[in-house]
């Protein structure tokens, strides 16, 4: 299994750029207040290629994105920036309440109210055949502690080959969102605002970083928010990053997608070639 994460950033940088999301801050705040429409944005494009078979006659490499709504956010960041255009793309949705684990290892940790949901949902074992086909496998989730601790075993069970690339992305959190309050702030006040975040993703990300290492794991929270227990809520252009504290607006998806391709983190600083 080839696990050299900086290559992801070269991989992401391949492709043309999409149009910039250019709403003024008050307008995009009002759009974000419609959480039903915002939620549909998060899901729509990911679900459109869910379990899409890879085309054997297509010469492009194959990228498989697996995970929950955080994987949907990642996918939107790819598309908003026009990245991965040289890859066949397919997705697999595994709900946060079910997590990405191999076999029945997670059964004891899933809440009884979620048993039926998880029995019907996709899982890593069901995705095994498509995982074996993919050149790049990207796993993204709001990892629960038990699933994070089982992840090394899950990866081992996936039996990835030396010519496959595995990338694991951690969770992100922006804290409690109060759009009504932000409408009262000036542009400068919105840019200066930092929000207290949920400490659980921070702890989970730290464990994954220490366990998987930076050749496999990317800590989105650190990239977006820096060190500490707070996070910015607006881009430099005054656009809201998250509409609910966990999921990205179109502007947020574009912003976070670009962070994964910055010069400091990208292939130029690592001397890596695009996949």
């Amino acid at each position: 299994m080839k696990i050299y994460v900086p290559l992801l950033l070269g991989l992401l940088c391949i492709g043309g750029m999409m149009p910039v999301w250019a709403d003024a801050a008050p307008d995009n705040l009002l759009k974000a207040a419609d959480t039903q429409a915002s939620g549909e944005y998060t899901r729509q494009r990911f679900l459109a290629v869910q379990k899409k078979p890879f085309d054997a006659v297509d010469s492009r490499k194959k990228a498989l994105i697996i995970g929950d709504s955080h994987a949907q956010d990642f996918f939107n960041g790819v598309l908003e920036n026009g990245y991965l255009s040289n890859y066949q793309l397919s997705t697999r949705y595994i709900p946060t309440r079910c997590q990405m684990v191999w076999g029945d290892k997670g059964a004891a940790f899933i809440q009884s109210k979620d048993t039926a949901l998880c029995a019907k949902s996709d899982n890593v074992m069901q995705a095994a055949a498509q995982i074996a086909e993919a050149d790049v496998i990207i796993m993204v989730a709001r990892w629960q502690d038990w699933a994070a601790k089982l992840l090394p075993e899950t990866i081992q069970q996936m039996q990835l080959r030396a010519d496959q690339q595995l990338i694991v992305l951690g969770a992100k959190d922006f804290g409690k969102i109060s759009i009504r309050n932000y409408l009262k702030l000036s542009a400068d006040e919105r840019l200066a605002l930092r929000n207290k975040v949920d400490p659980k993703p921070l702890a989970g990300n730290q464990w994954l970083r220490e366990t998987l290492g930076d050749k496999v794991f990317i800590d989105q929270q650190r990239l977006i928010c820096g060190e500490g227990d707070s996070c910015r809520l607006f881009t430099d252009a005054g656009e809201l990053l998250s509409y609910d504290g966990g999921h990205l607006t179109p502007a947020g998806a574009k912003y976070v997608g670009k962070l994964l391709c910055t010069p400091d983190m990208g292939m130029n600083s690592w001397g890596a070639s695009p996949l």
Side-chain angles (χ1 to χ4, degrees):
M1 177 180 62
K2 182 172 55 177
I3 46 176
Y4 190 60
V5 159
L7 288 179
L8 165 66
L9 305 156
L11 172 155
L12 288 176
C13 288
I14 300 169
M17 300 300 292
M18 299 292 284
V20 175
W21 185 265
D23 278 358
D27 289 340
N28 87 61
L29 285 173
L30 291 171
K31 286 176 183 283
D34 184 349
T35 54
Q36 183 175 349
S38 294
E40 180 63 22
Y41 165 78
T42 299
R43 297 183 293 270
Q44 185 177 16
R45 292 183 287 187
F46 187 96
L47 297 181
V49 294
Q50 184 174 218
K51 297 185 180 180
K52 181 180 179 182
F54 293 124
D55 186 349
V57 302
D58 188 332
S59 62
R60 293 178 299 167
K61 289 188 175 182
K62 308 171 186 71
L64 180 64
I65 297 97
I66 313 174
D68 56 17
S69 54
H70 287 252
Q72 294 173 350
D73 275 338
F74 172 81
F75 193 63
N76 284 332
V78 166
L79 298 183
E80 290 289 345
N81 287 288
Y83 300 149
L84 286 174
S85 59
N86 292 340
Y87 280 72
Q88 293 187 61
L89 301 177
S90 184
T91 62
R92 310 283 298 220
Y93 175 68
I94 300 175
T96 302
R97 289 181 283 173
C98 306
Q99 295 287 293
M100 285 185 277
V101 292
W102 189 267
D104 60 359
K105 288 286 187 177
F109 302 97
I110 294 171
Q111 297 185 36
S112 57
K113 65 182 178 67
D114 297 325
T115 301
L117 167 69
C118 297
K120 294 186 296 184
S121 76
D122 199 2
N123 59 60
V124 181
M125 281 187 69
Q126 290 180 23
Q130 195 169 28
I131 289 171
E133 288 186 79
D135 297 291
V136 180
I137 302 98
I138 303 171
M139 304 174 77
V140 195
R142 188 177 177 95
W143 301 95
Q144 295 183 25
D145 287 345
W146 59 267
K149 289 176 180 177
L150 286 170
L151 186 56
E153 182 178 346
T154 298
I155 293 169
Q156 184 179 29
Q157 293 288 349
M158 287 162 58
Q159 297 183 356
L160 300 181
R161 303 181 308 275
D163 63 341
Q164 290 180 290
Q165 173 90 37
L166 172 67
I167 298 129
V168 176
L169 275 79
K172 60 195 182 310
D173 189 89
F174 297 90
K176 187 177 180 180
I177 301 296
S178 179
I179 290 175
R180 183 175 297 179
N181 289 341
Y182 308 150
L183 285 167
K184 301 173 185 176
L185 301 178
S186 69
D188 288 341
E189 288 172 327
R190 284 194 288 267
L191 288 177
L193 187 64
R194 291 190 68 87
N195 220 19
K196 190 85 169 178
V197 303
D198 184 345
K200 289 182 181 179
L202 302 184
N205 286 350
Q206 180 176 347
W207 191 91
L208 286 168
R209 187 171 60 250
E210 292 172 354
T211 304
L212 299 181
D214 60 9
K215 291 186 178 181
V216 177
F217 182 70
I218 293 179
D219 190 339
Q220 288 194 88
Q221 188 76 18
R222 275 188 169 186
L223 285 177
I224 301 165
C225 308
E227 300 287 351
D229 60 357
S230 66
C231 193
R232 67 184 301 171
L233 294 179
F234 292 86
T235 70
D236 292 339
E239 299 161 311
L240 185 68
L241 289 168
S242 173
Y243 61 86
D244 64 355
H247 302 101
L248 301 172
T249 63
K254 190 174 186 69
Y255 177 85
V256 171
K258 281 186 175 180
L259 282 181
L260 296 171
C261 204
T262 60
D264 289 342
M265 291 294 296
M267 63 180 188
N268 290 337
S269 63
W270 290 87
S273 301
L275 287 173

